[in-house]
Amino acid sequence: MTKKKKHHDHRLGLGIDIGGSGIKGAPVDLDKGKLADDRLRIPTPQPSTPEAVAEVVGQILDHFEWDGPFGCTFPAVVQHGVTQTAANVDPSWIGCNAQDLLRGKTGRKALLVNDADAAGVAEVEFGAAKGHRGTVLVSTLGTGIGSALVIGGRLVPNTELGHLELDGHDAESRAADSAREREDLSWEDWGARLTRYFQHVENLLWPDLIVVGGGVSKKFARWQPYVETRTPIVPAELLNEAGIIGAALLAGAES
Ligand code: BGC
């Protein structure tokens, strides 16, 4: 498969989502914002060093016989290809030019992007905030809290709003889905934490819409009644495919 090969007259890209437990990838129909093939998931190697992860990324590209440019997400700050933080990943990523490493290891042109940023782009392009021209905040609730700020269709990268300090804590340590699980919080108690978090964020940014992603967005109806915000909150629509789709879109737009 080569870059932008016509497939039923649609442009194709390839996206890979690097997570703490799995690395997932698939070809993406860039016109429809849908996976063009079944996705492949390979467990994240442990320790998840840049070299070991790049190896798995190469296996995914080989599996789909993909030779063109590809997009790849990473759950940390990615500034011009350099991974700058490592809140929930191996510390050896800090300061690594992971984008160059991926290019070197796989022999294909890589675009590396923060995971929430990729999901945010996908949700605004094809999902819950499709076509929105205002200020959209996409918040992913998982092990950490990811954030994507998209204004008038343009992404402001690496906003990292999961690490706002709130009541003396790193916000994600209190309000991420992992905090709910770790502390065995009821939906109501977790909803109160989310209220505190989202009210803080909306007072900073005054978004027009908040889109909530991450696995727990599937259970939106369970916790949404306990979250009070002035901003409308909706669940993400692309769910666990948003990262793959967004990464492929961003790589397709760059190449
Ligand atoms: C990281 C972000 C990431 C989020 C979701 C946070 O801990 O700092 O870069 O987007 O987790 O994975």
Side-chain angles (χ1 to χ4, degrees):
M1 247 181 244
T2 50
K3 175 183 84 117
K4 294 184 182 171
K5 180 175 160 188
K6 295 271 175 174
H7 177 78
H8 304 301
D9 269 347
H10 288 155
R11 292 170 311 135
L12 275 187
L14 191 130
I16 294 182
D17 195 9
I18 300 176
S21 57
I23 302 177
K24 297 138 276 182
V28 173
D29 179 326
L30 300 178
D31 293 315
K32 282 191 175 164
K34 286 195 163 60
L35 301 197
D37 201 341
D38 291 341
R39 67 175 199 164
L40 174 67
R41 179 185 189 280
I42 298 180
T44 306
Q46 299 302 336
S48 56
T49 58
E51 284 75 17
V53 167
E55 186 83 36
V56 173
V57 168
Q59 288 170 19
I60 294 177
L61 297 172
D62 288 347
H63 170 84
F64 291 109
E65 297 175 10
W66 185 267
D67 297 323
F70 66 99
C72 195
T73 76
F74 194 70
V77 170
V78 183
Q79 200 174 26
H80 310 298
V82 179
T83 42
Q84 302 279 27
T85 61
N88 297 302
V89 292
D90 196 88
S92 58
W93 288 85
I94 296 178
C96 168
N97 193 324
Q99 186 171 274
D100 280 354
L101 180 92
L102 285 172
R103 288 184 189 199
K105 273 252 180 192
T106 67
R108 284 91 154 181
K109 190 174 169 200
L111 178 81
L112 194 65
V113 58
N114 171 263
D115 57 353
D117 283 345
V121 166
E123 290 294 338
V124 173
E125 203 69 41
F126 292 109
K130 188 172 173 178
H132 202 297
R133 303 309 297 166
T135 301
V136 178
L137 174 72
V138 179
S139 183
T140 63
L141 306 175
T143 307
I145 296 182
S147 62
L149 185 63
V150 184
I151 305 176
R154 264 187 90 97
L155 172 71
V156 180
N158 296 310
T159 44
E160 292 291 320
L161 299 174
H163 296 296
L164 288 171
E165 187 190 320
L166 208 52
D167 305 323
H169 299 273
D170 185 7
E172 71 175 21
S173 71
R174 305 266 301 160
D177 193 38
S178 59
R180 180 184 67 84
E181 287 177 343
R182 188 175 58 242
E183 298 181 44
D184 200 16
L185 298 175
S186 65
W187 293 115
E188 188 171 1
D189 289 345
W190 187 56
R193 301 250 184 120
L194 288 178
T195 296
R196 178 85 183 96
Y197 176 66
F198 284 129
Q199 285 185 355
H200 187 61
V201 171
E202 65 182 355
N203 287 342
L204 282 174
L205 295 170
W206 289 81
D208 298 304
L209 180 67
I210 296 175
V211 178
V212 177
V216 79
S217 62
K218 281 184 224 149
K219 297 180 184 148
F220 187 73
R222 311 281 293 275
W223 51 266
Q224 188 271 338
Y226 305 113
V227 180
E228 284 169 39
T229 54
R230 73 169 84 84
T231 315
I233 300 193
V234 296
E237 283 177 9
L238 302 174
L239 303 172
N240 55 8
E241 295 175 355
I244 294 176
I245 294 171
L249 279 175
L250 287 163
E254 247 227 343
S255 57

